[in-house]
Amino acid sequence: MGRGQMGRNRATLADVAQRAGLSKTAASMVLNGREGTRLSAEAHQRVFAAAEELGYRPNVAARSLRTRKTATIAFVSDIVATTRFAGGLIRGALDAARERDHVLLIAETQGDAAFERYAIEAMLDRQVDGVVYAAMATRRLTVPPAILSGPVVLLNATSPEDLPRVLPDDERAGRTVTTALLDRGHRDRIALIGRNRLKERDPEVSLAAQARLRGIRETLSAAGATLLAEAFCSDWLPEHGYAAMRTLLTKPDRPSAVICMNDRLAFGAYQALGEAGLAVPTDISVVSFDDDPIAAWLRPGLSTAALPHEQMGRRAVEILLDGRATEPVLVPMPLRRRRSVAAPSA
């Protein structure tokens, strides 16, 4: 069916009013739930019955001209929609939008500036009520000027502009995973895998690395402890965790526990420990960050501070529609306690 045919066959308010034997104004007041119509209950029933019989749906475009609200939100991201955590961010945003009778329009730019401009212009042309601007990795980014004219909330990101932002609480997560080891008796033989100066020093690359490191160090310091060793990695991938763990095992003083800066590093560390004939957590405990879907499938399951993507997506939409946040909203990263942590063996 072509667009013109669909338009001709769509029931109008006038059709509903005629079927119900009322004026358009009276029918509109009934359908919009406005008080003071002075119509009988029977007249109300006639209007609703006529609307149902004719399949009448309100003209959202026309209503938006009156209210300046279109009940749509733009969700614009770099490459978040193709990452393993995307489902949570988008699901949380969708749920919050649906609860407020809004539709989410999603655009993934793949880091292409020209396409991003096109996508944003297309969404703004549709008179969206606001924009959630999301990043794959927690980092500082540049917000396209075109979206600054209306409500904007940054998701998993910061920017030089004073905009509402929703972030994972990485510093608190650093304290959480470190405390999990201290509580089991680890103290002076805790090693760290995943030091990376670029991630720690450049906020446009990462905000998580420095925050996690700060939480780890402050918690150890408060307990009167220090890291036994720190392994630098060029990236946070399994092969780097594998190489770092192998290096740590060559040291004369073997760690009793290891904190990995993300789960992918921990996957590699597990492999290196297995090849060395060592068991987790009997010989070495391992904790990490992110709660990658594979973390629960490792044997033993990996204890890790989970990125709260669903809650983050929900909070971003709530702030966009319900009111401006004056301070960054930090969403807690809960510790998924599995079986990778035990008391030191000696």
Side-chain angles (χ1 to χ4, degrees):
M1 182 183 293
R3 174 188 283 180
Q5 188 176 354
M6 288 181 65
R8 286 193 299 273
N9 290 341
R10 177 170 176 159
T12 66
L13 179 61
D15 295 331
V16 173
Q18 183 178 19
R19 175 71 65 92
L22 296 169
S23 69
K24 280 180 58 177
T25 300
S28 175
M29 293 179 73
V30 170
L31 292 171
N32 288 315
R34 292 170 60 183
E35 299 296 331
T37 61
R38 297 184 180 180
L39 294 173
S40 66
E42 187 268 339
H44 279 73
Q45 291 172 1
R46 288 206 315 271
V47 172
F48 290 126
E52 184 174 354
E53 290 168 9
L54 295 171
Y56 171 74
R57 290 184 296 114
N59 188 327
V60 175
R63 183 172 61 191
S64 70
L65 291 175
R66 300 191 301 271
T67 65
R68 299 188 181 278
K69 296 287 186 181
T70 60
T72 56
I73 301 168
F75 185 105
V76 182
S77 69
D78 45 10
I79 49 177
V80 73
T82 54
T83 68
R84 63 198 185 286
F85 294 119
L89 278 175
I90 295 172
R91 185 166 57 250
L94 281 169
D95 286 347
R98 184 170 56 247
E99 289 166 10
R100 288 156 179 78
D101 297 320
H102 277 66
V103 172
L104 204 66
L105 304 179
I106 302 171
E108 176 187 308
T109 68
Q110 291 287 346
D112 183 326
F115 178 75
E116 180 176 73
R117 285 194 301 273
Y118 167 78
I120 288 172
E121 287 171 3
M123 288 182 165
L124 294 179
D125 285 346
R126 287 164 173 76
Q127 300 293 310
V128 293
D129 295 337
V131 178
V132 174
Y133 194 66
M136 177 189 71
T138 312
R139 62 186 181 90
R140 187 177 69 194
L141 44 70
T142 301
V143 178
I147 66 175
L148 293 175
S149 58
V152 180
V153 174
L154 301 179
L155 176 55
N156 207 31
T158 66
S159 77
E161 295 84 6
D162 182 24
L163 295 170
R165 60 204 63 185
V166 178
L167 299 159
D169 196 343
D170 283 293
E171 182 173 336
R172 184 172 167 186
R175 295 196 294 269
T176 299
V177 300
T178 308
T179 299
L181 295 178
L182 292 171
D183 287 349
R184 296 305 297 268
H186 298 276
R187 183 179 176 86
D188 299 318
R189 292 166 53 211
I190 299 174
L192 176 64
I193 289 177
R195 289 293 313 279
N196 182 293
R197 290 190 176 91
L198 179 62
K199 290 180 183 290
E200 293 164 10
R201 295 177 181 177
D202 189 345
E204 294 187 3
V205 174
S206 173
L207 294 170
Q210 184 60 246
R212 291 176 182 182
L213 182 61
R214 188 164 55 246
I216 292 166
R217 285 178 166 169
E218 288 177 356
T219 304
L220 288 172
S221 178
T226 58
L227 288 167
L228 172 70
E230 300 177 56
F232 282 79
C233 300
S234 58
D235 205 347
W236 288 355
L237 298 172
E239 56 265 35
H240 303 111
Y242 173 83
M245 190 74 249
R246 286 190 55 149
T247 299
L248 288 175
L249 293 178
T250 66
K251 306 290 184 183
D253 192 5
R254 193 177 77 194
S256 65
V258 173
I259 301 172
C260 294
M261 292 295 274
N262 80 345
D263 291 340
R264 286 174 291 176
L265 290 170
F267 301 160
Y270 262 54
Q271 183 70 22
L273 289 168
E275 289 182 1
L278 298 173
V280 178
T282 307
D283 297 304
I284 297 182
S285 293
V286 180
V287 292
S288 182
F289 300 85
D290 288 358
D291 196 26
D292 188 288
I294 298 175
W297 287 95
L298 291 177
R299 292 295 178 265
L302 176 63
S303 292
T304 177
L307 281 168
H309 279 128
E310 188 165 343
Q311 291 83 357
M312 289 167 60
R314 169 176 287 279
R315 289 294 291 128
V317 169
E318 290 172 348
I319 292 167
L320 189 71
L321 296 180
D322 298 344
R324 180 182 176 87
T326 56
E327 299 292 335
V329 174
L330 299 177
V331 182
M333 296 174 60
L335 181 64
R336 305 295 188 218
R337 295 181 183 273
R338 298 190 177 105
R339 303 186 66 182
S340 65
V341 178
S345 56

